[in-house]
Amino acid sequence: MLMFDSQSGPYDPRFERETDRLIALAADMEKIRNGADPRDLAAGAPILDHWIVAERSVPHLAGLSSGHPILTGTGRLIATSDLVLVAHDQSWARTRSRFYRLGRPGGARSSS
């Protein structure tokens, strides 16, 4: 996850690297969708021997969602996909799948 502040001047180099990685991933997936053989795309890639599938924790958001296009309902408790960007002022976030407008942070009390 990267903190993002559009008012602070040039983008952080980490933002540029992550953008390049995601563009490359999307391009490879598009090639596969259009019929490219993944074995051809992987030719020359590093070899990973004695490999296993492992899991790790990744930052994500959880909260009460309203207006989600797939997880419908108002005030529905959800967990998002991997968190990629968060506005410095915490007004929005971008996960792997979509943008979210951020309301009150957890623990904030209503003024009513």
Side-chain angles (χ1 to χ4, degrees):
M1 175 195 67
L2 300 170
M3 293 297 285
F4 185 84
D5 182 0
S6 62
Q7 307 302 315
S8 67
Y11 293 124
D12 183 313
R14 294 173 299 154
F15 179 86
E16 296 297 335
R17 283 192 304 271
E18 181 68 10
T19 300
D20 291 344
R21 278 190 202 123
L22 292 172
I23 289 169
L25 171 61
D28 286 343
M29 292 176 75
E30 182 72 14
K31 290 173 189 171
I32 292 167
R33 180 168 66 180
N34 290 330
D37 187 333
R39 292 170 294 195
D40 292 338
L41 298 175
I47 295 173
L48 186 62
D49 203 12
H50 300 286
W51 62 274
I52 62 168
V53 175
E55 293 186 24
R56 65 174 178 237
S57 297
V58 295
H60 64 280
L61 298 171
L64 303 177
S65 173
S66 297
H68 194 287
I70 298 170
L71 305 173
T72 59
T74 300
R76 180 177 176 170
L77 181 60
I78 67 163
T80 70
S81 58
D82 299 2
L83 186 58
V84 178
L85 294 171
V86 176
H88 193 265
D89 66 2
Q90 299 182 344
S91 61
W92 58 264
R94 179 61 161 95
T95 67
R96 292 271 181 209
S97 59
R98 71 187 74 258
F99 274 97
Y100 287 90
R101 293 173 291 156
L102 300 178
R104 296 171 296 199
R109 296 184 187 255
S110 167
S111 60
S112 52

